Amino acid sequence: MNTVDLHAAIVPGEGAAGFQLGVHLTQARSIFARAVRWDSAHGALREAVAQCDGWLQAPAASYGDRQGASFYYQRGAVELHFNDQGMLATIALFKGYAGALFGKVRIGDELAAVTGFCDVIFDEDEDMHYPKDSAITGLAFGAEFEPLARAPSQRIFGIYIFSQPAAA
């Protein structure tokens, strides 16, 4: 895990962009050595991400309900979110990421393309689309904030890969 791969396959519950979920921040520290550190005194995080071509680091708990550090790459094409134990918990992929999910589904494709692999359900509380009743876990999609049936031509703006909580 020494470089970012904007063309790497997207593997639900496992990884993307050359990163594996569950790795500790210390294993990726060299990648982030030159990361610009964001400070809210210098403007909104969203604006800083949109202007940064390299890595941008946002400290723990500086944005939303995140518990650990977050890193943004290439104007937000890749986001890495670490939990409070320093483990990579979520990889979020957006415009600029060229890798594919299932070898076929990419950022900008219609969400309906996912139904060739699994049905999706819209979670109104989280404004996310998830695989429905599927063996596919650790995967979510950002698209329009309504069910696929009501907006069948909606496009994927984000693909989220996350680790599943350990079974009790």
Side-chain angles (χ1 to χ4, degrees):
M1 186 166 60
N2 294 321
T3 61
V4 180
D5 182 353
L6 294 175
H7 298 276
I10 302 167
V11 183
E14 291 186 28
F19 296 92
Q20 289 297 121
L21 293 171
V23 300
H24 196 271
L25 180 58
T26 56
Q27 293 173 279
R29 185 67 71 191
S30 65
I31 296 171
F32 307 129
R34 295 186 191 178
V36 173
R37 299 196 191 290
W38 174 75
D39 182 330
S40 60
H42 295 104
L45 177 60
R46 183 178 305 181
E47 292 170 13
V49 169
Q51 296 172 9
C52 186
D53 289 324
W55 283 107
L56 179 74
Q57 178 182 358
S62 64
Y63 183 68
D65 60 355
R66 307 251 187 254
Q67 298 298 313
S70 292
F71 294 85
Y72 303 84
Y73 182 73
Q74 199 69 33
R75 298 179 184 252
V78 177
E79 296 181 6
L80 303 178
H81 302 286
F82 291 82
N83 64 21
D84 57 346
Q85 284 97 31
M87 306 302 277
L88 182 56
T90 304
I91 301 170
L93 309 163
F94 299 96
K95 182 180 177 183
Y97 191 79
L101 173 69
F102 309 128
K104 296 184 185 239
V105 179
R106 299 178 191 282
I107 304 297
D109 287 352
E110 286 192 1
L111 182 60
V114 175
T115 61
F117 304 96
C118 63
D119 289 330
V120 292
I121 187 167
F122 179 65
D123 183 319
E124 291 182 15
D125 292 332
E126 295 186 16
D127 288 334
M128 299 287 282
H129 299 265
Y130 293 95
K132 178 183 178 187
D133 300 327
S134 173
I136 301 169
T137 60
L139 176 65
F141 301 93
E144 290 183 26
F145 301 141
E146 57 185 312
L148 185 57
R150 282 201 301 239
S153 62
Q154 60 184 294
R155 298 208 170 263
I156 299 168
F157 67 75
I159 298 175
Y160 304 81
I161 307 300
F162 52 92
S163 46
Q164 294 294 304

